Amino acid sequence: MNHYRFEDLSVGAEESFEVDITEEMMEQFYRMTGDENPLHRDPAFANQMGYENRVVYGMLTSSFFSTLAGMYLPGERSLIHRVETEFPKPVFIGDHLTVTGKVQEMNETFQTIVLKVVITNQKKEKVCRGKMRIGFLKRDGE
């Protein structure tokens, strides 16, 4: 886990991590949300809709932005204020994703940063992109 403070960062700072999408992740997300959409649950339905297999839940994919902020950029001091996401390509079980955030703006008055965020698959295709506004938690005495 990273421990960046606001003053440790500058525009252009970047962090990333990788994750593989598994069947278990899909099942856990289903159990948590109850989303039974057949596009995510039924391979035959997904195929009828023109997809090679079941499509991974978009919100499962975008949930890795929470990991990005909470573990990598800025890490333990992060407090997510806003997340905007788009899903230009589908994600499938077995995909290898790279989650990246890059500091695009910094607001010294409010101690917030804006990250440009993107998730790419093993083919280097953007499967999720967006922006995050993140504040910084302060310890007592800071």
Side-chain angles (χ1 to χ4, degrees):
M1 176 184 303
N2 288 329
H3 309 281
Y4 290 117
R5 296 170 300 164
F6 181 84
E7 54 271 15
D8 296 332
L9 296 173
S10 60
V11 171
E14 183 174 304
E15 291 282 351
S16 65
F17 69 96
E18 298 177 2
V19 62
D20 292 316
I21 300 297
T22 66
E23 176 72 38
E24 182 181 0
M25 289 174 179
M26 286 287 284
E27 285 304 310
Q28 289 174 341
F29 194 87
Y30 166 69
R31 284 195 303 272
M32 286 187 314
T33 65
D35 183 346
E36 293 185 6
N37 185 309
L39 187 62
H40 307 301
R41 305 285 302 154
D42 181 354
F45 180 85
N47 192 260
Q48 289 173 351
M49 296 296 110
Y51 295 99
E52 61 193 61
N53 206 333
R54 296 182 300 150
V55 175
V56 170
Y57 296 99
M59 298 311 287
L60 170 58
T61 301
S62 65
S63 72
F64 293 110
F65 290 143
S66 178
T67 305
L68 177 68
M71 298 295 292
Y72 296 92
L73 188 60
E76 74 172 354
R77 294 174 178 260
S78 72
L79 181 60
I80 297 172
H81 291 255
R82 182 178 182 159
V83 180
E84 300 172 25
T85 58
E86 298 176 9
F87 305 96
K89 296 248 183 202
V91 173
F92 300 99
I93 295 168
D95 278 356
H96 180 80
L97 305 180
T98 302
V99 182
T100 304
K102 185 174 186 176
V103 177
Q104 192 173 44
E105 297 174 30
M106 298 183 69
N107 184 314
E108 193 168 340
T109 302
F110 295 107
Q111 299 276 297
T112 60
I113 58 173
V114 173
L115 296 182
K116 179 180 178 181
V117 292
V118 65
I119 301 175
T120 55
N121 64 17
Q122 64 279 0
K123 299 174 188 175
K124 307 294 184 214
E125 299 170 321
K126 289 182 184 177
V127 296
C128 189
R129 64 180 173 231
K131 287 186 179 183
M132 298 178 74
R133 181 172 301 280
I134 302 169
F136 286 76
L137 298 170
K138 294 186 186 253
R139 292 196 172 119
D140 290 339
E142 289 186 316

